[in-house]
Amino acid sequence: MKTPIRVAVTGAAGQIGYALLFRIASGAMFGPDQPVSLQLIEAPVEKALKALEGVAMELDDCAFPLLSSIQMTSEPKEGFAGANWCLLIGAKPRGPGMERADLLKDNGQIFIGQGRIIDEVAADDARIAVVGNPANTNCMIAASQAKRLPAERFTAMVRLDQNRAQTQLAKKAGVALTEVKNIFIYGNHSPSMFPAYAQATISGKPAAEVIGDEAWLQGTFCETVGKRGAAIINARGASSAASAANALVDHVHDLMTPGAIHSVAVKSEGRYGFDPNVWAGMPVRTTSPGSYEVIEGHSMDAFAQSKIAATNKELMEERGFVTA
Ligand code: NAX
């Protein structure tokens, strides 16, 4: 029997947590022969901790053969101790009348604390994936606190946007989803992000050639993907949860799978014209379990450059709010 992977999850009793934990425990994230130990972290709020107990009871009731233990805590030092993966989902939601700058500041405080504690107590091989919004900037903040763990271990999730973009292209072309390849997300996880359709292929041919409608690609396609989160809130009365959890399964699974090519928000280091110290979505290739290299050299036309400039500007503004 393999040693269990220790997975710390914040916001474990939230909507995404509820859709995620069962998939981790079933083997969808780390594979069908890899045991996992769940270290579930909630805010120190009675209602949340009670809900977490209920989630743990349900996990027990699934009798997952791969689930070797469940720990529950509101104490980050306990929850992150020895963790191999830290999935940071818990964040403060934007309340009525709350300014974006205030939300960024409040979440900044959470991610400063969590980044510092993870660096102190997580496993030497710890990897961090941030989902809680604003995910890219929260990831930058957590990474800025780390002295032991290198910046490339901190990633933020743009995989939901990639999955959304892939589906939109497949539907428009009238092909199976698996025919669409190499659709990558650049920039922020927000409506400003750019799904770079020029790099995508459909059945092995350039997507733009197959779709044959540049105005649709630049307009409806980018807008539909960018505003999909809002469309789901309008329809469901709640934000995306199952698809976000599924995207996190994909994000971590592909980061553990050498050869996988996928979109991840990483420290830009100036690639593709981004400010060097923002976390921006871009294509990566997984090199060994948990490690990756950024795929460079995709050419960007004037439209792509303008979209990247806009999402980069937003990331720099978010950083400005937090550091102000
Ligand atoms: P919920 O409000 O259902 O759950 C959040 C949970 O986090 C709550 O149970 C809360 O008690 C807990 N929490 C808050 N502060 C905490 C802290 N300091 N430590 C531990 N737990 C804490 O939100 P949910 O729908 O699950 O969404 C979670 C986050 O994901 C939100 O910030 C949301 O905006 C973000 N999303 C990010 C996406 C992405 O693609 N990156 C897409 C989906 C989602 O919108």
Side-chain angles (χ1 to χ4, degrees), residues 11 14-16 42-43 89-91 110 114 131-133 157 160 189 240 244:
Q15 287 202 92
I16 296 176
E42 254 301 339
I89 301 168
I110 295 177
Q114 291 184 349
V131 173
N133 277 323
M157 187 174 94
L160 180 53
H189 167 68
S240 7

Side-chain angles (χ1 to χ4, degrees), residues 82-143:
N84 306 106
W85 273 92
C86 303
L87 309 180
L88 307 187
I89 301 168
K92 185 170 177 169
R94 190 165 170 172
M98 192 177 185
E99 292 295 328
R100 191 156 154 265
D102 293 331
L103 177 73
L104 280 156
K105 277 205 170 135
D106 287 358
N107 274 311
Q109 288 310 312
I110 295 177
F111 285 81
I112 285 175
Q114 291 184 349
R116 203 171 282 163
I117 292 171
I118 288 168
D119 195 53
E120 216 177 288
V121 304
D124 280 342
D125 69 354
R127 263 79 186 169
I128 297 89
V130 180
V131 173
N133 277 323
N136 300 51
T137 297
N138 288 340
C139 188
M140 178 208 73
I141 294 168

Side-chain angles (χ1 to χ4, degrees), residues 200-251:
T201 59
I202 300 178
S203 309
K205 294 193 194 118
E209 194 184 302
V210 176
I211 302 277
D213 185 349
E214 190 84 10
W216 181 85
L217 287 165
Q218 293 190 352
T220 308
F221 171 64
C222 289
E223 205 163 295
T224 304
V225 178
K227 296 187 176 161
R228 187 72 163 178
I232 286 166
I233 293 176
N234 277 340
R236 207 172 85 86
S239 56
S240 7
S243 55
N246 177 68
L248 185 56
V249 170
D250 288 345
H251 175 106

Side-chain angles (χ1 to χ4, degrees), residues 246-309:
N246 177 68
L248 185 56
V249 170
D250 288 345
H251 175 106
V252 175
H253 175 271
D254 282 3
L255 279 173
M256 294 298 278
T257 307
I261 294 178
H262 50 124
S263 311
V264 177
V266 299
K267 188 175 184 191
S268 104
E269 307 284 9
R271 296 177 186 103
Y272 290 106
F274 284 99
D275 179 273
N277 195 32
V278 297
W279 261 248
M282 51 186 76
V284 308
R285 182 184 295 104
T286 302
T287 48
S288 60
S291 300
Y292 58 87
E293 61 190 9
V294 173
I295 299 171
E296 298 194 62
H298 284 302
S299 66
M300 299 288 176
D301 62 12
F303 177 75
Q305 282 177 26
S306 73
K307 295 292 281 182
I308 285 181

